[in-house]
Amino acid sequence: MKPSESLDLRLGWFGLVVNVAALPWLAQLLSSGGPMGAANWAVGTAAILPALALGVVASAALIKRRRWGRVVAIVALGLALAVTLSYGIVWLVLVPLGRPLVAVTLGVLSVAELLLLIYWSLPRPWWWGRGG
């Protein structure tokens, strides 16, 4: 196994764990009321849930070393980055509770998503990976 294939496999497992672990968080977000209850429902069901579902599918494909998993990972990360930035900024403006922690978390999460998006977007030689 080449070093990059090993990294791809580890990132696939990491993505699977993170996406599956985020599902209970999404359920808690949807069930919480608060000042942004309607926005939580709208964004949670229309954007966060599809991003998590795509992340699970992409991670499973990457673990099985399917080349199309990279494409699904790019789509999932692009959607996650768009949701993270837009919803995070709205959250920072409208909810005064814990702004420093939310700002730092938003920054770290956005940079991590951007770096992963760049990594999966880098071209691979045609002989890497197997399967369709």
Side-chain angles (χ1 to χ4, degrees):
M1 182 180 290
K2 297 177 185 143
S4 60
E5 288 178 353
S6 174
L7 179 61
D8 290 357
L9 188 61
R10 285 184 292 194
L11 286 174
W13 278 108
F14 178 74
L16 187 64
V17 168
V18 167
N19 284 302
V20 169
L23 289 172
W25 169 80
L26 178 61
Q28 190 274 332
L29 179 73
L30 293 177
S31 64
S32 68
M36 293 190 47
N40 289 344
W41 264 101
V43 173
T45 57
I48 298 173
L49 184 59
L52 291 177
L54 281 171
V56 169
V57 170
S59 298
L62 292 169
I63 290 169
K64 294 194 64 85
R65 293 187 178 97
R66 303 289 187 225
R67 285 181 287 185
W68 55 267
R70 295 169 43 83
V71 176
V72 179
I74 291 169
V75 172
L77 285 165
L79 180 58
L81 184 61
V83 172
T84 300
L85 288 175
S86 59
Y87 189 63
I89 291 169
V90 169
W91 186 274
L92 281 172
V93 170
L94 296 179
V95 179
L97 182 64
R99 277 192 180 140
L101 178 63
V102 172
V104 169
T105 304
L106 176 64
V108 169
L109 188 59
S110 298
V111 168
E113 289 169 347
L114 184 62
L115 290 175
L116 285 169
L117 187 60
I118 291 169
Y119 175 78
W120 290 117
S121 297
L122 292 175
R124 299 282 195 264
W126 60 272
W127 63 85
W128 279 15
R130 53 180 200 258

